[in-house]
Amino acid sequence: MYQYSDKDKQIVKNRTREFLSQVKRRIDGNLTEEEFKPLRLMNGLYLQLHAYMLRVAIPYGELSHIQLNKLAEISEKYDKGYGHFTTRQNIQFNWPKLEDVPKILNELADVEMHAIQTSGNCIRNISCDHLAGINNEEVEDPRPWCEIIRKWSTFHPEFSYLPRKFKIAVIASEKDRAAMKVHDIGLKLIKKRNETGFEVYVGGGQGRSPFIAKKINNFVKKRDLLNYLEAILSIYNEMGRRDNIYKARIKILINELGEEKLKSLIESKFKKFADKNLLLEEDEIKKIKNYFKLPINNPIKSSIPVKKNKEYNIWLNQNVIKHKLAGYSIIMVSLKHYNQPPGDATAEQMKKLSIIAKQYSHGEIRVTHEQNLVLPHIKNSDLFSVWNKLSALKLATPNIGLITDTICCPGMDYCALATARSIPISQKISQHFKDQSIQDKIGNIKIKISGCINACGHHHVGNIGILGLDRNGEESYQISLGGSADEKTSIGKIVGPSFSEKELIKAIQTIIETFEKNKKNNEDFLSVFNRVGIDPFKKDLYDKSNP
Amino acid sequence: MTKVILNKNKVLKNEYFFVDNLTNLTKSNSENLIVTLSQWLDNKNTLSKKKNIGIKLNSDESLSLIKEEISFFKIIQFNFLTFKDGRPFSEAKKLRVELQYTGEVRASGYILPDQYIFLLRCGFNSVEIESEKKKFWLECLKMDTGLYYQP
Ligand code: SF4
């Protein structure tokens, strides 16, 4: 795992001090709320429906057990005893008081954490594959690259007042577990003629107008990466629209200018003005890579305990993945227990999970963009013991990838921008489909729910996407089908007129029935949808003459 | 409200004039002028015969219209319409790196002391601010430790 250098520590400390002075100026009336807003946002502090919300950065989703324990403590001390893991691999606290925020930031700094650039019109936390470094498919571990980009993008003097927020994701295999193509910049490590470099995708995004990122470069050399990113950001800062916040993301710029034009502007900036101080030399890259060496090096002989326990076996099958080193496994820790809002973890769960991670997973935990956690390095022989412990904490719901593993934004329960509730919808879905045999029969499917058009719940890329709307004061839910955030990224198609909260579960049930009717062999939902198209679903949902 | 010009932590004497209307030029104020982009474009011929001319661009005005004549200007002033408009940060950098401009680059308008260090790091030399806010600017400058992640 990455460890702070003295410089990192100092920079975070300074930022806390700076923020303290900003809070003071705000309270003394020397900063207006309008002026304070972007400054506090750059420190992850939102003003929500009922209170402030603090979003803490979990760089590329990686946590130590010490950090997780600290998050638990903070949630107890300054909040209501829980935290919410987000689709960008961060964590949010929903109830901190403004005057406590500098204290929270200080406590975070003690464990090498912060809230820097978790919101505001700047470069946000870098997303990464939650299986980075521990799967067999990747070209190399993408995490060092996330760290290199994290540094470069932190307090960048030129890019802290961009037209809009800016999100970057890095992956390193054909499999995309980070929704790379719905980021402003998506980077994919590839190997060409024995050299590793990056494919560069630009202009993906969700929100009001969803776009899939377009590939603008087939191969950027490693050493040139930062200069290339700098060229993209510079063009965006200069040309991105500032007259309309809904048109301010780079996805709009690329569509208005055209792919070729934007590409040529970026290329010429890159070629002419690359800064040699930004070139990444091998020894520097190596230095960063050293931080990310796995805590385990060699395959071992260790087998998975065989038990007659049915629940354990279901869990093994659903929530446990092979590690790249033989003898080890990866545990997906579900934060989708049927009675808990998706992505929420209580202080007790976090504390005890931190102890489990320390004891069994070399102290490491990861956060997925699907709002679950990962214990990355578990010895096979420990699986039964860990399952027992997770079960007791309600962290072993065997639903990873299944219909009750929904992604869901905070919606009307917390968010000031919401047009409808989203958490209760996901809970209803969970209740309706919680029978394990039903879930197994349906198989892999991704339901994603947003409480408004901003799409924080990724509904555009859900196999079933649900968008909460306000229709004359009534909550109503629009359904889209066929979206996907993996390597075959696609934007879902709206199936038709929206449903009231009451009708919604029935509609989803109908969609599942249509799927099952059309399913051949072991096809999953998306394959069926891609084969039969939207019409059969439409027909079953809306055609009343249909028996 | 009185304004002062700050260069790092020093107050500079303002050596430049603005005139709303160029026909009002008298002998005493016909040099050391800062003109707006439209004044420049409309009166290029007369202005280019004068000495010590600067130009003021609003943050939504692009450098591209004066790219060819950049070295003529003694000072280029970016006037922020709002502190949220980050374009001048890139424009200043472009002036220094791409256009090799060596004159003075100044920020004015609606800017926050919290942006001071970023401004300096992007190639600005001076800021025009309200004199009563000076202490906040100096405080922000003092918080700079020189530790950065970028070159
Ligand atoms: S999608 Fe809308 S309601 Fe949900 S968190 Fe984002 S802004 Fe809030």
Side-chain angles (χ1 to χ4, degrees):
Chain A
M1 268 191 81
Y2 185 66
Q3 249 148 32
Y4 272 19
S5 64
D6 287 342
K7 181 175 168 180
D8 296 317
K9 283 185 193 152
Q10 202 53 49
I11 286 178
V12 169
K13 276 219 180 91
N14 287 346
R15 181 60 189 132
T16 311
R17 208 171 47 156
E18 195 187 352
F19 185 62
L20 196 63
S21 103
Q22 289 164 347
V23 171
K24 190 169 171 300
R25 268 188 292 146
R26 173 72 194 109
I27 291 169
D28 295 345
N30 288 310
L31 272 177
T32 65
E33 179 53 32
E34 200 206 338
E35 291 165 347
F36 181 53
K37 188 177 166 190
L39 303 177
R40 69 168 158 74
L41 283 179
M42 249 177 267
N43 247 314
L45 189 62
Y46 278 80
L47 193 55
Q48 286 293 36
L49 217 49
H50 313 288
Y52 279 102
M53 178 271 275
L54 183 69
R55 186 181 291 150
V56 176
I58 302 177
Y60 31 93
E62 198 164 53
L63 279 171
S64 71
H65 69 99
I66 296 167
Q67 292 172 326
L68 184 61
N69 186 57
K70 176 57 82 181
L71 294 173
E73 283 176 14
I74 287 173
S75 78
E76 273 181 328
K77 210 156 142 189
Y78 303 103
D79 205 294
K80 295 189 177 175
Y82 62 95
H84 175 76
F85 289 95
T86 76
T87 52
R88 298 217 65 250
Q89 301 170 289
N90 292 318
I91 186 168
Q92 291 177 184
F93 295 113
N94 283 310
W95 309 96
K97 295 200 201 77
L98 179 58
E99 62 267 29
D100 285 338
V101 172
K103 280 185 259 171
I104 300 176
L105 294 181
N106 263 326
E107 291 208 24
L108 287 171
D110 289 344
V111 296
E112 309 189 346
M113 293 188 88
H114 57 75
I116 295 163
Q117 289 176 208
T118 53
S119 62
N121 295 337
C122 50
I123 303 171
R124 303 287 190 86
N125 188 17
I126 316 301
S127 309
C128 191
D129 183 350
H130 56 261
L131 300 186
I134 52 178
N135 71 83
N136 267 323
E137 306 137 15
E138 66 194 11
V139 169
E140 64 174 62
D141 189 341
R143 292 174 302 160
W145 296 98
C146 295
E147 176 54 27
I148 287 169
I149 299 168
R150 179 194 76 82
K151 284 209 171 79
W152 161 79
S153 61
T154 300
F155 303 133
H156 197 295
E158 190 183 342
F159 307 132
S160 292
Y161 295 87
L162 295 169
R164 223 30 201 111
K165 58 187 166 188
F166 204 92
K167 301 175 181 179
I168 302 177
V170 189
I171 62 169
S173 62
E174 282 309 314
K175 270 225 163 315
D176 180 0
R177 285 172 287 253
M180 179 271 278
K181 284 187 188 158
V182 287
H183 281 72
D184 295 279
I185 295 180
L187 298 169
K188 180 172 159 196
L189 276 153
I190 55 162
K191 205 167 218 166
K192 243 185 188 171
R193 287 180 234 97
N194 270 333
E195 195 185 345
T196 323
F198 297 89
E199 274 181 3
V200 181
Y201 294 79
V202 166
Q206 305 193 52
R208 195 163 292 237
S209 19
F211 284 105
I212 296 170
K214 300 178 175 75
K215 198 189 326 172
I216 64 156
N217 198 308
N218 291 322
F219 197 81
V220 170
K221 289 183 186 217
K222 284 176 164 181
R223 69 194 303 254
D224 291 328
L225 178 68
L226 294 183
N227 270 311
Y228 201 80
L229 293 178
E230 191 126 337
I232 300 173
L233 265 298
S234 206
I235 298 286
Y236 169 58
N237 191 35
E238 200 182 318
M239 304 184 71
R241 284 179 62 171
R242 291 175 188 264
D243 59 330
N244 178 341
I245 73 159
Y246 300 116
K247 300 203 151 102
R249 297 282 290 269
I250 197 169
K251 62 187 177 186
I252 304 293
L253 184 67
I254 193 168
N255 280 285
E256 286 184 353
L257 278 181
E259 209 173 316
E260 285 309 312
K261 174 83 181 149
L262 184 70
K263 194 171 147 178
S264 82
L265 286 168
I266 291 167
E267 289 290 327
S268 83
K269 186 135 208 142
F270 167 68
K271 290 212 172 93
K272 279 200 231 143
F273 304 107
D275 180 349
K276 63 177 187 317
N277 293 314
L278 276 178
L279 287 179
L280 291 164
E281 303 303 344
E282 266 316 313
D283 50 334
E284 231 181 296
I285 299 172
K286 221 168 142 192
K287 226 165 91 192
I288 298 286
K289 281 189 178 172
N290 276 335
Y291 285 110
F292 293 92
K293 283 199 177 133
L294 293 191
I296 45 179
N297 301 313
N298 299 310
I300 50 167
K301 278 217 157 62
S302 175
S303 45
I304 300 177
V306 179
K307 304 278 166 185
K308 278 216 172 91
N309 186 313
K310 188 175 160 214
E311 283 170 36
Y312 165 67
N313 287 311
I314 295 174
W315 173 83
L316 269 185
N317 192 29
Q318 202 60 42
N319 290 22
V320 177
I321 308 173
K322 261 203 183 120
H323 194 286
K324 80 171 178 192
L325 291 176
Y328 291 94
S329 288
I330 302 162
I331 294 179
M332 303 295 294
V333 176
S334 170
L335 293 182
K336 313 293 171 65
H337 187 266
Y338 310 122
N339 296 321
Q340 211 163 321
D344 273 16
T346 64
E348 197 209 348
Q349 287 176 322
M350 289 191 267
K351 273 193 180 160
K352 298 215 166 128
L353 186 63
S354 139
I355 297 169
I356 297 173
K358 185 176 172 207
Q359 195 178 348
Y360 298 100
S361 185
H362 295 266
E364 289 183 19
I365 303 105
R366 295 181 184 181
V367 186
T368 80
H369 90 274
E370 294 182 337
Q371 300 178 290
N372 292 308
L373 302 178
V374 179
L375 291 169
H377 322 288
I378 305 287
K379 221 191 261 170
N380 283 345
S381 56
D382 288 335
L383 280 168
F384 187 67
S385 314
V386 178
W387 172 75
N388 264 315
K389 294 185 184 219
L390 291 175
S391 264
L393 292 168
K394 298 196 166 126
L395 290 173
T397 313
N399 60 353
I400 297 295
L402 299 179
I403 192 162
T404 60
D405 185 10
T406 55
I407 289 192
C408 175
C409 81
M412 191 74 104
D413 292 293
Y414 298 100
C415 177
L417 302 169
T419 40
R421 289 169 306 156
S422 47
I423 294 171
I425 300 302
S426 101
Q427 285 178 320
K428 273 192 176 179
I429 294 171
S430 289
Q431 285 303 335
H432 185 83
F433 291 104
K434 77 176 176 205
D435 187 298
Q436 195 67 38
S437 61
I438 294 179
Q439 293 200 57
D440 286 344
K441 194 166 151 243
I442 299 169
N444 285 341
I445 186 166
K446 297 197 188 292
I447 299 193
K448 307 193 180 186
I449 312 164
S450 306
C452 84
I453 192 77
N454 287 326
C456 306
H458 294 191
H459 66 273
H460 294 300
V461 289
N463 301 164
I464 300 180
I466 301 175
L467 164 63
L469 299 166
D470 176 353
R471 290 252 186 275
N472 310 318
E474 294 254 332
E475 286 168 314
S476 115
Y477 295 87
Q478 186 181 71
I479 297 181
S480 50
L481 297 177
S484 163
D486 62 10
E487 53 284 3
K488 296 177 287 261
T489 312
S490 59
I491 305 291
K493 295 188 184 73
I494 296 170
V495 73
S498 51
F499 299 89
S500 71
E501 196 202 333
K502 270 209 187 104
E503 301 161 333
L504 183 63
I505 296 298
K506 197 167 155 256
I508 294 172
Q509 178 63 38
T510 308
I511 291 167
I512 296 301
E513 283 163 14
T514 311
F515 151 63
E516 285 176 333
K517 215 159 60 183
N518 286 282
K519 177 171 162 174
K520 288 187 189 157
N521 311 323
N522 275 332
E523 273 184 323
D524 63 10
F525 181 87
L526 196 60
S527 315
V528 170
F529 179 86
N530 288 338
R531 182 167 50 74
V532 303
I534 201 163
D535 290 338
F537 292 93
K538 263 193 169 141
K539 192 161 172 255
D540 292 349
L541 277 172
Y542 299 106
D543 190 349
K544 297 295 176 231
S545 60
N546 201 37
Chain B
M1 225 166 295
T2 43
K3 305 250 170 157
V4 289
I5 311 289
L6 266 191
N7 168 306
K8 301 255 177 75
N9 59 0
K10 293 205 180 53
V11 175
L12 295 186
K13 216 173 112 220
N14 190 10
E15 293 163 333
Y16 294 92
F17 297 100
F18 276 114
V19 277
D20 292 337
N21 187 340
L22 285 183
T23 54
N24 293 342
L25 281 187
T26 64
K27 208 158 178 53
S28 65
N29 67 2
S30 73
E31 286 183 351
N32 291 11
L33 271 185
I34 294 182
V35 298
T36 63
L37 179 63
S38 59
Q39 284 174 333
W40 170 256
L41 295 175
D42 294 345
N43 304 282
K44 222 189 244 186
N45 285 342
T46 37
L47 287 171
S48 54
K49 293 190 190 82
K50 294 182 185 295
K51 273 195 278 179
N52 297 341
I53 299 297
I55 190 159
K56 174 169 145 178
L57 298 170
N58 282 330
S59 50
D60 61 352
E61 288 170 338
S62 160
L63 269 179
S64 59
L65 289 171
I66 52 163
K67 223 168 155 177
E68 305 304 321
E69 48 233 11
I70 219 84
S71 59
F72 170 76
F73 299 108
K74 279 278 171 321
I75 173 168
I76 296 177
Q77 177 169 333
F78 289 101
N79 188 51
F80 284 73
L81 299 173
T82 153
F83 64 91
K84 288 180 252 177
D85 188 346
R87 280 174 282 194
F89 291 97
S90 282
E91 295 279 49
K93 202 164 151 205
K94 192 192 234 174
L95 269 179
R96 298 297 191 204
V97 180
E98 296 186 26
L99 306 171
Q100 306 277 314
Y101 178 72
T102 53
E104 182 169 348
V105 183
R106 181 177 294 176
S108 68
Y110 191 0
I111 34 177
L112 299 181
D114 308 83
Q115 296 175 304
Y116 199 13
I117 292 156
F118 286 169
L119 288 168
L120 295 174
R121 290 183 60 202
C122 285
F124 284 86
N125 323 73
S126 60
V127 291
E128 182 193 272
I129 56 164
E130 288 162 14
S131 60
E132 65 198 51
K133 298 249 167 92
K134 197 178 88 188
K135 73 168 206 230
F136 299 124
W137 286 78
L138 295 178
E139 264 170 31
C140 283
L141 187 66
K142 262 207 231 132
M143 275 192 262
D144 181 23
T145 52
L147 289 174
Y148 314 127
Y149 287 124
Q150 304 77 15

